[in-house]
Amino acid sequence: MKKHNFSAGPCILPQEVIIKASEAVMDFNGLGLSLIEISHRSKDFVAVMDKARSLALELLDLEGKGYQALFLQGGASMEFLMVAYNLLEKKAGYLNTGTWADKALKEAKIFGEVIEVGSSKDENFSYIPKGYSIPNDLDYLHLTSNNTIFGTQIKKFPKTEATLVCDMSSDIFSRQLDFSQFDLIYAGAQKNMGPAGTTLVVVKEEILGRVSRKIPSMLDYKVHIEKESMFNTPAVFPVYVSMLTLEWLQKLGGIAAIEEINEKKAQLLYSEIDLNPLFKGYAHKEDRSNMNATFTLAEEKLKDIFEGMCKEAGISGINGHRSVGGYRASMYNALPLESVGTLVDVMSELERKA
Ligand SMILES: *Cc1c(COP(=O)(O)O)cnc(C)c1O
């Protein structure tokens, strides 16, 4: 039986993408060769990279606006330092909204002065700080749009003149935003786009070249742009699967269409969390993530019963991260509404039983 996959990452991908990807591993484009055994400089793979890059810009509505899309390696964690390497001359601001934001901030400190413009550490990152002030002498401001571990999501982005950098690893392509308010967006593929192994970076070219330090080629966004994301051998399989997922999303109607489904899923689960006395939401209501819902059981003694029922229903991957405890249901783009329905049924069944 196919499981209901609520894994936080790597996570569920559309079934048709998995099928097409497996076919390409056997025989790519009818070449009689596997996707993973041909040159990345071959005409067939160059077309994949080109398509993946242009689809990313198209879906974000950033075509022709001075942006470049890159598929790099090293995960979102590599971007924590690449961002600072390429953009931090004197001072950067970071909004500390959780584990990932904190890790990004630590890396940046290697390269210059870093200030925390706001933090929700005082309440174990269960909310998004608001009303913080942004100094006007920042090289850039760094935000994390969705906090995968704590289940919070920035709903309103600050209006600022500062260069805006955003880690969108766990909610890219999930909701409509004016993406042109950001100067650099990065996202590890393995949450909403593909397998682990590649990271999408979307960068406005005009923000590059402003720092005085020398940048090693592999860490230099300008080099990757110049080489059309092929400076070295790209992660061919993760890029191909990402391209397939972006094609799937485009066919579905793009971000507007998936946002509608994502809202339905989140509403269904959060209304059960709010109405069912056996469960308690973790994140402050106004900041709750539509991608990762964090919640706990009101009574620990129901743990084994609840988890047994989940297992029985084919629900997989809802254990919370150790820094929050309880449960986390990740509802990425590819998760069907029906899977959320199954989880909600189990939760209400538990209330009837208990
Ligand atoms: C998963 C995640 C990361 C880390 O991604 P890696 O690809 O493992 O380096 C960074 N930021 C956010 C918001 C994440 O969800």
Side-chain angles (χ1 to χ4, degrees), residues 175-322:
R175 57 172 169 165
Q176 289 178 285
L177 289 173
D178 172 11
F179 292 98
S180 71
Q181 70 190 294
F182 306 99
D183 298 284
L184 191 151
I185 296 166
Y186 63 91
Q190 72 273 21
K191 311 259 166 62
N192 235 347
M193 195 169 57
T198 191
T199 309
L200 173 65
V201 174
V202 174
V203 57
K204 200 168 194 178
E205 273 192 273
E206 66 179 32
I207 69 165
L208 300 175
R210 294 180 189 167
V211 291
S212 54
R213 73 175 62 83
K214 282 199 168 141
I215 305 174
S217 309
M218 270 299 279
L219 301 181
D220 190 341
Y221 291 126
K222 283 184 118 172
V223 170
H224 289 289
I225 289 170
E226 194 186 316
K227 300 295 180 185
E228 303 182 324
S229 210
M230 292 259 206
F231 171 68
N232 71 323
T233 316
V236 290
F237 184 70
V239 172
Y240 181 68
V241 182
S242 298
M243 182 205 77
L244 292 177
T245 307
L246 297 178
E247 283 180 339
W248 167 83
L249 182 56
Q250 189 185 44
K251 238 182 2 193
L252 203 80
I255 295 179
I258 203 73
E259 180 179 36
E260 216 174 288
I261 301 169
N262 288 336
E263 270 173 7
K264 275 198 194 125
K265 290 186 289 188
Q267 268 168 25
L268 181 60
L269 181 55
Y270 283 124
S271 66
E272 180 65 23
I273 290 171
D274 291 341
L275 292 172
N276 189 325
L278 298 182
F279 294 94
K280 223 168 68 210
Y282 177 77
H284 289 206
K285 278 188 188 173
E286 74 274 17
D287 301 325
R288 289 198 293 211
S289 165
N290 280 1
M291 293 282 100
N292 315 94
T294 43
F295 56 98
T296 53
L297 263 173
E299 300 171 52
E300 264 309 289
K301 66 175 204 291
L302 294 173
K303 184 176 186 286
D304 291 345
I305 305 174
F306 176 58
E307 289 176 12
M309 288 167 70
C310 283
K311 197 166 173 210
E312 185 94 340
I315 290 166
S316 163
I318 62 159
N319 278 340
H321 189 274
R322 62 191 177 281

Side-chain angles (χ1 to χ4, degrees), residues 29-234:
N29 284 357
L31 295 172
L33 294 163
S34 168
L35 166 75
I36 56 175
E37 60 177 11
I38 60 166
S39 168
H40 59 291
R41 308 272 175 208
S42 63
K43 172 169 98 355
D44 290 81
F45 185 76
V46 169
V48 168
M49 180 60 95
D50 288 349
K51 188 78 204 269
R53 294 177 72 207
S54 65
L55 263 177
L57 291 181
E58 200 179 316
L59 286 162
L60 299 172
D61 195 21
L62 289 177
E63 273 182 315
K65 294 181 181 169
Y67 290 82
Q68 292 278 351
L70 302 169
F71 284 87
L72 306 180
Q73 298 186 54
S77 300
M78 182 68 96
E79 300 317 307
F80 295 165
L81 72 101
M82 264 178 93
V83 161
Y85 221 129
N86 284 264
L87 303 178
L88 179 48
E89 181 74 11
K90 284 206 176 75
K91 188 160 136 190
Y94 278 69
L95 186 66
N96 193 352
T97 50
T99 311
W100 297 118
D102 198 43
K103 285 189 172 172
L105 188 154
K106 281 203 184 92
E107 293 301 297
K109 279 185 177 162
I110 298 171
F111 302 94
E113 187 190 346
V114 172
I115 58 162
E116 242 182 52
V117 297
S119 169
S120 48
K121 201 171 180 169
D122 59 344
E123 284 188 38
N124 198 29
F125 302 115
S126 58
Y127 69 100
I128 301 287
K130 293 166 201 83
Y132 49 88
S133 59
I134 302 165
N136 54 21
D137 60 344
L138 297 179
D139 293 323
Y140 63 89
L141 173 67
H142 182 282
L143 305 171
T144 309
S145 56
N146 185 71
N147 298 282
T148 327
I149 292 173
F150 300 92
T152 63
Q153 189 173 34
I154 299 178
K155 305 291 177 181
K156 250 186 98 186
F157 290 87
K159 291 260 172 294
T160 173
E161 292 295 299
T163 295
L164 203 53
V165 176
C166 193
D167 176 358
M168 292 196 188
S169 291
S170 51
D171 69 350
I172 193 156
F173 303 119
S174 74
R175 57 172 169 165
Q176 289 178 285
L177 289 173
D178 172 11
F179 292 98
S180 71
Q181 70 190 294
F182 306 99
D183 298 284
L184 191 151
I185 296 166
Y186 63 91
Q190 72 273 21
K191 311 259 166 62
N192 235 347
M193 195 169 57
T198 191
T199 309
L200 173 65
V201 174
V202 174
V203 57
K204 200 168 194 178
E205 273 192 273
E206 66 179 32
I207 69 165
L208 300 175
R210 294 180 189 167
V211 291
S212 54
R213 73 175 62 83
K214 282 199 168 141
I215 305 174
S217 309
M218 270 299 279
L219 301 181
D220 190 341
Y221 291 126
K222 283 184 118 172
V223 170
H224 289 289
I225 289 170
E226 194 186 316
K227 300 295 180 185
E228 303 182 324
S229 210
M230 292 259 206
F231 171 68
N232 71 323
T233 316

